[in-house]
Amino acid sequence: MSYNLQVSIDRDSGFCFGVVYAIDMAEEILTEDGYLYCLGDIVHNDAEVERLKLKGLRIISHDDLIDLKNEKVLIRAHGEAPETYKIALQNNITLIDASCPVVLKLQNRIKNSHDAKEKILIFGKHGHAEVIGLQGQTNNEALVFQDIAELEDVNLPDKFTLYSQTTKSTDKFYAIKDQLINRGFDVKANDTICRQVSNRYDDLRNFVKSFDRILFVSGRKSSNGKVLYEVCRQYNPNTYFISNADELELSMFNPGDKVGICGATSTPMWLMKNVKEVLETY
Ligand code: SF4
């Protein structure tokens, strides 16, 4: 039996400009040199990382960087802490800096706040590369939290400046800001969530409503993937999170279903097209 699914891809999904910039830069050097070191996964999408590894991309950790000398190393869109630039200088490493301009601007704002002796809180995921880079601007003095409950037992200063990792949920950020103000703190709140992520909320809301089933394609490590998936699920409960076409199951669909495919800012368009091609064989 043929399922005759009607499949469409969301035109607004796919890489944000920060990721496009980093991948273009990597591919240019890979074409010239045949290999390139990259500090951490270039993007939180395993399929795209594998594609670039086949072209010569070598993913290294911060520990590996300490032992590397006289090479080119790409800094991905998430940015890096000042310590990385120091190590590169000591090891005669040429940094190919593909830090996203939005992240660089935020690093700068946090550094200025720190220089102005403000107490800083960052709403962000513990251990996330971008957050490590942001905290690094404050000599690691900023307090990072990913859930307001973490602040319950902490002795917070009466007055502080609040920032957010670029890919967090705006709804959660404003709820946290309101709660902290209601608790009597003097909060200078800066909504530093990237519009490449938050502008997608409305687009996705409208997109997912017109389909029987939604396939949200994303790497499981992607922060914005988690946020955008929740947006989809809220407006279309028949939303499935998949990382690639191998995770598709026939039981997800009914014959004749209209299926919408969308994804995170780290999801390559080729991967969504691949999912569409497989669905069209059902
Ligand atoms: S989501 Fe925004 S901040 Fe992050 S890489 Fe993309 S453009 Fe840059």
Side-chain angles (χ1 to χ4, degrees):
M1 182 183 92
S2 168
Y3 268 59
N4 281 325
L5 302 173
Q6 298 169 54
V7 189
S8 310
I9 299 177
D10 174 28
R11 274 181 304 161
D12 298 315
S13 284
F15 290 156
C16 60
F17 67 74
V19 172
V20 169
Y21 178 68
I23 290 177
D24 280 357
M25 216 181 247
E27 290 204 284
E28 212 171 283
I29 294 173
L30 288 171
T31 308
E32 275 170 25
D33 296 359
Y35 75 97
L36 174 64
Y37 291 98
C38 176
L39 196 51
D41 284 348
I42 187 163
V43 60
H44 284 158
N45 189 283
D46 292 344
E48 181 66 2
V49 170
E50 284 310 313
R51 185 185 75 82
L52 290 164
K53 273 187 182 170
L54 290 175
K55 291 187 155 198
L57 195 71
R58 300 175 185 174
I59 307 294
I60 57 167
S61 66
H62 287 82
D63 284 346
D64 298 329
L65 186 73
I66 296 170
D67 300 324
L68 197 73
K69 297 209 165 59
N70 313 317
E71 292 283 359
K72 284 181 192 167
V73 175
L74 183 99
I75 292 186
R76 58 194 169 168
H78 292 317
E80 281 294 325
E83 182 63 18
T84 300
Y85 292 84
K86 248 191 255 169
I87 295 170
L89 201 64
Q90 284 160 8
N91 291 5
N92 194 33
I93 284 169
T94 307
L95 289 178
I96 312 295
D97 198 344
S99 303
C100 174
V102 178
V103 175
L104 284 179
K105 194 171 156 201
L106 174 55
Q107 286 186 347
N108 236 345
R109 285 181 72 179
I110 291 182
K111 186 177 183 315
N112 289 340
S113 281
H114 177 68
D115 291 347
K117 308 266 181 279
E118 293 170 19
K119 302 284 178 208
I120 299 168
L121 264 69
I122 300 173
F123 171 46
K125 189 176 168 199
H126 295 295
H128 189 285
E130 180 193 320
V131 175
I132 293 170
L134 299 178
Q135 205 186 17
Q137 308 305 315
T138 68
N139 206 15
N140 294 329
E141 286 170 25
L143 175 69
V144 172
F145 68 101
Q146 58 190 36
D147 192 297
I148 186 124
E150 290 173 35
L151 301 179
E152 298 286 345
D153 302 324
V154 180
N155 219 347
L156 294 177
D158 295 339
K159 183 178 175 178
F160 54 81
T161 307
L162 176 66
Y163 288 100
S164 171
Q165 180 183 352
T166 56
T167 46
K168 282 295 191 195
S169 145
T170 37
D171 288 352
K172 283 195 186 143
F173 177 80
Y174 283 102
I176 285 168
K177 172 192 162 188
D178 290 347
Q179 278 195 48
L180 290 169
I181 290 172
N182 289 341
R183 283 190 208 170
F185 294 108
D186 183 349
V187 186
K188 186 170 148 198
N190 298 288
D191 168 2
T192 48
I193 292 155
C194 174
R195 286 336 187 214
Q196 289 273 315
V197 179
S198 59
N199 284 349
R200 289 192 185 193
Y201 301 174
D202 286 341
D203 296 339
L204 280 177
R205 266 178 212 137
N206 293 329
F207 178 78
V208 301
K209 280 183 198 159
S210 344
F211 295 93
D212 302 309
R213 295 284 182 277
I214 291 294
L215 293 171
F216 187 83
V217 188
S218 167
R220 296 193 191 277
K221 283 185 267 177
S222 165
S223 289
N224 80 87
K226 287 188 189 91
V227 173
L228 296 176
Y229 166 65
E230 284 306 326
V231 172
C232 293
R233 219 165 51 112
Q234 201 183 343
Y235 290 87
N236 187 330
N238 297 317
T239 297
Y240 298 99
F241 188 110
I242 59 167
S243 299
N244 56 54
D246 294 344
E247 294 177 15
L248 288 171
E249 286 171 27
L250 212 50
S251 59
M252 292 171 172
F253 310 100
N254 291 317
D257 269 353
K258 282 172 75 186
V259 182
I261 300 174
C262 47
T265 61
S266 48
T267 306
M269 189 49 83
W270 65 261
L271 192 61
M272 289 186 278
K273 282 187 181 158
N274 189 236
V275 170
K276 181 172 189 269
E277 277 162 20
V278 173
L279 290 178
E280 284 169 348
T281 65
Y282 285 2

